[in-house]
């Protein structure tokens, strides 16, 4: 078949159906992006860090969720709480450092308090305001400490010690209910004993966050990776399934990776995670932009913070067991880094691919259809790992949250469904 | 010039030579500057997680394996240029081994990594940090026993397949 002219190029190819592609504008349109922030990211639970990053009372971590500055602190009672990192006085950011401890005083404030450096208003670890500088002189009886305080956020520590936060006070689900069973595949491994983060780096990539989630959700792109081609592609590799859960989450089933097929890689049977068979691999694509990847001896977690329609920050964490000996930790680090590290074999290739993908989808560029219409079944009629059910499941949830049809975002979700049925 | 001074100069030269070989993807030439017990690591301290991290490490054979397999991987082929300045070279008392600290900045000149039409030719700083090297001598020539690339940069974006 020859290359296409404009009219042919614009036509739906072959017998691909309406729910088997998305419109490229969902990756580039600024209005759609803003809607995603308000309709999805401000509403859902998201992990923001791991409890091992707040190992001692008075330790803290800062981050942003849906553009809102957030601070997570461990109180004197060892409980982890989350607040907006915003002073109720003049809106200043209370803590600028990425992490640290409030145990020592700051130039503007007392030890064991969160202090806004601007006017030295102070807050305890529960977010209560405990000091307003020259309060009665300036506010008389019109405003007291009891009238102000930090904006608390709902916060849970769940699934191996990840700290989950939502900006949505009215959310009617716990983290467990929001997960909808997606963690069943690795919950036993994560909760067996305390975990610890040993790897952190971040990437700001010129691509829409969904492109990274897509890449984590589809395994057809194994052709991108020499490492995957050489260590996988056996019967058990194809026998894995994408399993959809409520709320758009997807679990990718396990298989045994043949690491010794890759030159320079030894078998990884020497160390695994509790309750994970050696060399096995379980993965969760968590809606809307988180990935948990338990492979051999290391757990990887990607947390995406969308920064714009064509810009996403991805924080990469690697975790092992808190009880690791130095030798075990080194093995986990090597296993993690060789594939997933910033100088590893696979991560660079994945990030390269989504970058060049977004390069064809700049804002106001002609819309295109981005296909996810593979239905690849095994001899028993079950979908194989190259079936793109995972992405279809994500976009079904995305369309419902956004009330937009992913294949034509100018249609409501219901209109899109009707068109699909027709 | 004293023998010690001669060796210090030779060590500085081999650090600069290594930067050129790495810039030019002359991996075998780079590894030929390294002792057979060579250890290589890229490390960074993360204030986010308060942890000394290893981003990559391996011995000479690991590094050879990685560089030999580069053609089989999809990579951003944008050239990296290492601007290296040797700060200190310190000989041990026996004069048989030495340590050196160099500062480096790695510039990336875009070629094919994003959108070559618009961006090819643009140079940006990719990484900054220190080389912390250990040397021994073979036939009077300095050989890397260890190179620890201590990164200050932790926002690593697409990362790289290439040794730094």
């Amino acid at each position: 078949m020859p290359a296409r002219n404009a009219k042919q190029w614009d036509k739906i190819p072959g017998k691909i159906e309406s729910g088997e592609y998305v419109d490229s504008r969902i990756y580039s349109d600024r209005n759609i992006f803003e809607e995603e922030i308000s309709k999805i990211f401000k509403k859902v639970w998201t992990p923001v860090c791991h409890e091992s990053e707040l190992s001692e009372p008075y330790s803290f971590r800062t981050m942003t969720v849906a553009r809102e500055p957030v601070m997570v602190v461990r109180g004197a009672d060892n409980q982890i709480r989350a607040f907006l990192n915003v002073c109720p006085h003049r809106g200043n950011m209370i803590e600028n450092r990425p992490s640290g401890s409030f145990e020592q005083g700051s130039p503007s404030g007392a030890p064991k308090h969160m202090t806004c450096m601007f006017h030295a208003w102070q807050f305890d670890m529960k977010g209560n305001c405990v000091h307003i500088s020259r309060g009665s002189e300036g506010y008389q009886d019109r405003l007291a400490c009891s009238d102000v305080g930090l904006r608390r956020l709902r916060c849970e520590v769940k699934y191996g010690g990840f700290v989950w936060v939502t900006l949505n006070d009215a959310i009617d689900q716990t983290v467990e209910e929001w997960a909808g069973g997606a963690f069943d595949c690795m919950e036993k491994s994560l909760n067996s004993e305390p975990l610890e983060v040993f790897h952190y780096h971040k990437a700001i990539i010129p691509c829409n966050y969904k492109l990274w989630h897509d890449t984590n959700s589809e395994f057809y792109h194994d052709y991108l990776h020499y490492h995957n081609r050489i260590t996988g592609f056996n019967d058990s590799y194809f026998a894995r399934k994408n399993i959809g859960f409520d709320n758009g989450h997807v679990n990718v089933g396990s298989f045994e990776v043949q690491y010794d097929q890759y030159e320079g890689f030894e078998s990884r049977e020497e160390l695994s995670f509790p309750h994970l068979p050696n060399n096995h691999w379980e993965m969760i694509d968590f809606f809307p932009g988180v990935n948990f990847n338990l492979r051999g001896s290391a757990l990887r977690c990607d947390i995406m913070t969308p920064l714009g329609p064509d810009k996403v920050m991805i924080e990469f964490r690697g975790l092992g067991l808190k009880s690791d000996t130095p030798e075990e930790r080194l093995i986990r680090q090597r296993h993690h880094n060789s594939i997933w590290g910033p100088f590893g074999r696979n991560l660079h290739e994945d990030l390269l691919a989504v970058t060049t993908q977004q390069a064809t989808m700049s804002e106001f560029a002609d819309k295109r259809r981005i296909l996810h219409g593979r239905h690849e079944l095994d001899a028993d009629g079950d979908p194989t790992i190259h079936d793109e059910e995972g992405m279809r499941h994500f976009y079904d949830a995305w369309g419902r949250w956004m009330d937009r049809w992913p294949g034509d975002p100018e249609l409501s979700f219901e209109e899109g469904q009707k068109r699909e049925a027709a | 010039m004293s023998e010690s001074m001669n060796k210090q100069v030779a060590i500085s030269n081999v650090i600069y030579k290594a930067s050129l070989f790495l810039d030019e993807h002359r991996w075998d030439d780079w590894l030929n500057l390294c002792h057979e017990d060579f250890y290589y690591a890229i490390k960074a301290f993360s204030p986010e997680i308060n942890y000394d991290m290893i981003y990559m490490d391996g011995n000479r054979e690991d590094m050879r394996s990685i560089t030999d397999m580069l053609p089989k991987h999809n990579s951003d082929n944008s050239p990296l240029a290492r601007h290296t300045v040797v700060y200190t070279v310190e000989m041990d008392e026996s004069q048989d081994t030495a340590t050196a600290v160099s500062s480096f900045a790695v510039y990336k000149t875009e070629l094919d990594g994003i959108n070559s039409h618009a961006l090819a030719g643009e140079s940006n700083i990719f990484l900054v940090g220190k080389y912390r090297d250990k040397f021994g001598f073979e036939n009077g020539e300095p050989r890397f026993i260890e190179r620890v690339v201590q990164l200050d940069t932790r926002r690593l974006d697409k990362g790289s397949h290439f040794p730094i």
Side-chain angles (χ1 to χ4, degrees):
Chain A
M1 198 66 187
R4 306 298 162 128
N5 62 30
K7 194 175 169 187
Q8 292 166 330
W9 172 250
D10 202 36
K11 235 180 115 184
I12 295 171
K15 295 174 181 172
I16 294 291
E17 295 184 356
S18 167
E20 296 176 330
Y21 59 86
V22 298
D23 184 311
S24 60
R25 289 174 295 178
I26 72 167
Y27 300 117
S28 61
D29 185 282
R30 189 160 296 276
N31 293 327
I32 291 175
F33 175 77
E34 293 301 333
E35 258 184 60
E36 290 176 301
I37 296 296
S38 60
K39 288 184 174 176
I40 300 176
F41 284 90
K42 282 184 185 289
K43 303 293 186 193
V44 301
W45 286 104
T46 188
V48 294
C49 65
H50 187 261
E51 64 176 351
S52 64
E53 298 166 47
L54 306 128
S55 55
E56 302 294 330
Y58 302 103
S59 52
F60 69 85
R61 284 283 278 122
T62 60
M63 63 286 296
T64 54
V65 175
R67 292 208 186 95
E68 297 293 341
V70 169
M71 179 164 49
V72 175
V73 302
R74 188 186 285 275
D77 57 359
N78 235 5
Q79 191 168 333
I80 290 175
R81 297 178 177 86
F83 306 99
L84 277 193
N85 185 8
V86 178
C87 181
H89 174 217
R90 300 272 290 163
N92 195 40
M93 187 176 282
I94 291 174
E95 183 52 59
N96 303 323
R97 293 171 290 172
S99 71
S101 172
F102 293 117
E103 187 154 28
Q104 306 298 319
S106 66
S108 295
K112 300 182 178 177
H113 288 80
M114 298 180 265
T115 301
C116 177
M117 69 175 180
F118 205 174
H119 303 93
W121 286 33
Q122 293 183 35
F123 308 88
D124 67 18
M125 292 297 115
K126 294 180 179 175
N128 301 307
C129 180
V130 294
H131 175 74
I132 295 176
S133 311
R134 293 182 61 78
S136 58
E137 289 85 346
Y139 296 110
Q140 299 81 41
D141 59 357
R142 296 174 297 122
L143 186 141
C145 281
S146 56
D147 296 319
V148 290
L150 298 186
R151 157 85 159 91
R152 69 171 188 275
L153 302 174
R154 287 185 62 180
C155 174
E156 287 189 30
V157 179
K158 191 77 182 165
Y159 298 124
F162 283 91
V163 180
W164 298 72
V165 166
T166 177
L167 300 174
N168 179 10
D169 280 359
I171 195 165
D172 59 2
Q173 291 176 308
T174 63
V175 172
E176 187 171 352
E177 289 165 342
W178 168 243
F183 272 95
D184 290 355
C185 62
M186 67 172 79
E187 188 172 4
K188 211 170 165 187
S189 295
L190 301 189
N191 291 340
S192 176
E193 56 176 289
L195 309 184
E196 186 172 71
V197 178
F198 61 70
H199 175 98
Y200 177 89
H201 84 275
K202 62 187 167 187
I204 296 183
I205 301 296
C207 81
N208 185 276
Y209 78 93
K210 295 189 293 301
L211 291 176
W212 186 247
H213 203 74
D214 290 352
T215 295
N216 278 331
S217 303
E218 61 95 348
F219 278 73
Y220 187 39
H221 81 273
D222 280 319
Y223 291 96
L224 173 70
H225 302 303
Y226 173 63
H227 176 269
N228 287 30
R229 293 196 302 273
I230 204 81
T231 59
F233 283 24
N234 54 13
D235 288 346
S236 64
Y237 172 86
F238 282 101
R240 287 182 298 164
K241 304 279 181 293
N242 293 300
I243 304 165
F245 294 85
D246 285 351
N247 304 319
H249 316 308
V250 173
N251 167 223
V252 181
S254 181
F255 91 117
E256 188 173 356
V257 185
Q258 303 168 82
Y259 288 103
D260 49 2
Q261 298 295 306
Y262 185 87
E263 189 187 333
F265 277 36
E266 72 287 7
S267 167
R268 300 187 167 195
E269 288 185 353
E270 59 192 312
L271 191 65
S272 187
F273 243 67
H275 307 289
L276 182 74
N278 290 339
N279 285 343
H280 273 244
W281 181 9
E282 293 274 5
M283 193 165 114
I284 303 167
D285 295 305
F286 205 80
F287 187 88
V290 188
N291 175 262
F292 295 90
N293 221 323
L294 182 58
R295 181 169 175 165
S297 67
L299 172 69
R300 163 180 156 191
C301 176
D302 305 0
I303 299 174
M304 280 189 278
T305 301
L307 301 176
D310 58 357
K311 190 185 283 191
V312 62
M313 177 172 73
I314 313 169
E315 293 172 282
F316 297 99
R317 284 173 171 81
L319 296 97
L321 303 181
K322 196 174 179 184
S323 64
D324 283 342
T325 63
E327 293 76 20
E328 288 170 333
R329 181 57 59 86
L330 196 57
I331 291 169
R332 290 190 204 280
Q333 284 176 312
R334 284 183 176 151
H335 288 179
H336 173 277
N337 292 341
S338 57
I339 311 292
W340 295 332
F343 302 93
R345 302 297 89 193
N346 279 23
L347 188 70
H348 177 63
E349 291 176 328
D350 283 323
L351 291 168
L352 195 60
V354 293
T355 301
T356 49
Q357 201 177 6
Q358 184 76 48
T360 75
M361 302 179 199
S362 54
E363 196 168 16
F364 306 119
D366 288 347
K367 66 178 181 182
R368 314 183 204 295
R369 290 184 190 87
I370 311 302
L371 307 183
H372 50 226
R374 291 182 62 82
H375 298 270
E376 186 172 335
L377 308 179
D378 64 17
D380 298 325
D382 292 324
T384 71
I385 195 62
H386 281 182
D387 191 293
E388 290 172 335
E389 170 60 22
M391 282 193 289
R392 290 191 292 274
H393 187 72
F394 174 92
Y395 283 107
D396 183 73
W398 183 90
R400 292 171 196 275
W401 276 92
M402 294 289 286
D403 193 21
R404 288 180 184 267
W405 186 248
D408 182 353
E410 290 171 24
L411 299 178
S412 70
F413 190 76
E414 192 180 344
E415 288 168 337
Q417 280 183 310
K418 282 180 185 166
R419 181 177 289 188
E420 187 181 30
Chain B
M1 203 160 21
S2 69
E3 184 188 354
S4 174
M5 285 296 289
N6 281 335
K7 284 184 168 177
Q8 288 181 47
V9 170
I11 285 171
S12 292
N13 285 342
V14 88
I15 291 171
Y16 290 126
K17 203 180 274 187
S19 290
L20 282 173
F21 288 161
L22 289 164
D23 285 358
E24 294 166 5
H25 293 191
R26 292 166 62 183
W27 313 118
D28 288 343
D29 290 334
W30 171 56
L31 287 169
N32 286 340
L33 299 177
C34 304
H35 191 269
E36 62 179 22
D37 294 330
F38 177 60
Y39 171 76
Y40 178 89
I42 302 175
K43 299 183 176 182
F45 174 75
S46 166
E48 291 85 3
I49 62 170
N50 195 29
Y51 197 85
D52 279 309
M53 302 180 295
I54 301 173
Y55 280 153
M56 174 191 194
D57 75 333
N59 59 28
R60 194 169 189 260
E61 277 315 297
D62 294 332
M63 300 313 295
R64 184 176 296 286
S65 170
I66 283 170
T67 52
D68 282 352
M69 279 193 289
L70 282 171
K72 296 177 177 177
H73 283 278
N74 290 296
S75 299
D76 180 345
N77 292 299
S78 301
L80 302 179
R82 294 152 185 81
H83 288 229
T84 307
V85 177
V86 178
Y87 280 179
T88 62
V89 178
E90 293 181 7
M91 304 298 300
D92 75 342
E93 282 185 17
S94 70
Q95 304 288 305
D96 291 335
T97 60
T99 57
V101 177
S102 309
S103 178
F104 70 82
V106 181
Y107 293 82
K108 180 193 280 186
T109 300
E110 297 293 342
L111 176 64
D112 59 358
I114 300 179
N115 176 352
S116 60
H117 184 203
L119 298 177
E122 178 181 299
S123 297
N124 294 290
I125 287 188
F126 175 42
L127 300 167
V128 297
K130 298 265 194 318
Y131 288 135
R132 298 187 183 279
D133 298 324
K134 291 182 183 168
F135 289 91
F137 290 87
E138 286 177 5
N139 303 320
E141 295 294 321
R143 290 284 176 267
F144 286 93
I145 295 173
E146 180 178 297
R147 162 156 282 186
V148 173
V149 182
Q150 185 72 35
L151 291 183
D152 296 328
T153 309
R154 301 178 318 285
R155 186 191 137 184
L156 298 163
D157 294 351
K158 290 198 302 293
S160 178
H161 278 154
F162 304 133
I164 300 306

